Amino acid sequence: MRSGCAAPRGLSAEWGKRRDAAILGKSPDARAWAASDTDHMMMRRSAIFDLDGTLTDSKPGILGCLTNTLEAHGIAWTGPLDWFIGPPADYSMRRLMPDADEPRRAALLHHYRLCYAATGWQQNSVYPGVHAVLQSLQASGWQLFVCTSKRQDFTVRILEKFALSRYFLAVYADTPGSLHHTKTDLLRRLLEEQSLDPATTFMVGDRNFDIEAARANAVTSIAVTYGYGTSEELASARPGHTCNAVEDLLPIFSALAPSPPQRHPGLP
């Protein structure tokens, strides 16, 4: 995943010798290899996707388990609960029950997670058009990643179940006791470990947390309005770009980072 030139299949030994000689300035290939490395860095376009509300519609499972939990604990709630989707569940539970003590919140969270682990994670669906977008980006040479506040184990299950994992080079999600518990820290870790250039990296998400994390890491943000963030929430987060439908993502990516021109062998 790191930058640099990859050896063509079947030519690794000879290719390596030529490249080493070029790096040391001992062959006419030196200038060509340097240009190749520079071009490769410029072509490393990367797209990072949130999961819930961006790639999949997870609302039925999340809110179904949340409603089940509230009813089981005799808690009455009126009003929308879409805001619960997106941040780590313990964060949303604190917002839901700000006056409850920690043991009571922990009991609710435990009940919720038991429900979600049993059935809730499966009550999910991929937004129409998402597979086509990911296939097109992958075919065009984009590096694709997932960065989500959902727990790692649930994230992996969902990506596997809905045949999404094949598109992504790496998945960054929340883990118990993680030092990267916020979306901002999680995205920073992804950028560092994958050696991504923020100038050619784009973050796609549906909540203010995604937009704020992108800005904090100097990454261009694309807010999608078909997820769970309200229009007011997204407007106040000030995304770099806004997308109203899955099918609009490709034109946005094409405008922001056009495909590099094709270079023909033997031509400068």
Side-chain angles (χ1 to χ4, degrees), residues 140-177:
S140 299
W142 284 75
Q143 299 185 121
L144 306 181
F145 302 90
V146 169
C147 183
T148 174
S149 295
K150 185 181 284 298
R151 263 178 35 181
Q152 179 85 20
D153 52 347
F154 293 142
T155 299
V156 171
R157 282 193 221 173
I158 291 166
L159 294 175
E160 290 289 342
K161 177 177 175 60
F162 295 105
L164 290 169
S165 57
R166 55 185 162 160
Y167 302 116
F168 298 104
L169 293 176
V171 173
Y172 285 73
D174 196 40
T175 54

Side-chain angles (χ1 to χ4, degrees), residues 184-268:
T184 296
D185 289 341
L186 198 60
L187 180 58
R188 181 177 299 116
R189 179 183 154 214
L190 190 163
L191 294 170
E192 291 174 352
E193 292 185 357
Q194 299 298 328
S195 301
L196 302 188
D197 180 358
T200 54
T201 301
F202 304 87
M203 175 75 207
V204 185
D206 69 311
R207 296 295 310 273
N208 61 312
F209 307 100
D210 303 305
I211 310 310
E212 291 163 0
R215 180 179 300 107
N217 286 286
V219 167
T220 299
S221 60
I222 302 173
V224 296
T225 62
Y226 56 78
Y228 308 123
T230 65
S231 56
E232 294 79 11
E233 173 187 322
L234 292 176
S236 64
R238 296 178 292 111
H241 303 272
T242 301
C243 175
N244 297 317
V246 172
E247 55 267 27
D248 294 336
L249 280 169
L250 283 179
I252 291 174
F253 278 122
S254 296
L256 292 176
S259 297
Q262 295 295 317
R263 295 184 62 178
H264 300 280
L267 294 180

Side-chain angles (χ1 to χ4, degrees), residues 98-139:
D99 299 324
D101 58 26
E102 196 57 39
R104 180 153 172 75
R105 279 199 298 264
L108 266 68
L109 186 61
H110 179 69
H111 188 130
Y112 166 79
R113 282 181 169 156
L114 285 177
C115 175
Y116 193 77
T119 60
W121 71 275
Q122 299 180 72
Q123 297 167 3
N124 204 337
S125 60
V126 180
Y127 285 115
V130 162
H131 277 285
V133 167
L134 297 177
Q135 287 171 355
S136 180
L137 290 174
Q138 189 180 61

Side-chain angles (χ1 to χ4, degrees), residues 34-78:
S36 177
D37 278 351
T38 300
D39 290 348
H40 183 74
M41 284 297 293
M42 292 177 66
M43 289 189 293
R44 293 186 72 224
R45 299 166 300 164
S46 305
I48 302 171
F49 291 86
D50 175 47
L51 181 59
D52 295 335
T54 302
L55 297 175
T56 69
D57 181 7
S58 54
K59 180 176 178 177
I62 292 176
L63 295 194
C65 284
L66 179 59
T67 300
N68 176 290
T69 299
L70 295 177
E71 290 176 352
H73 289 262
I75 298 171
W77 181 272
T78 57

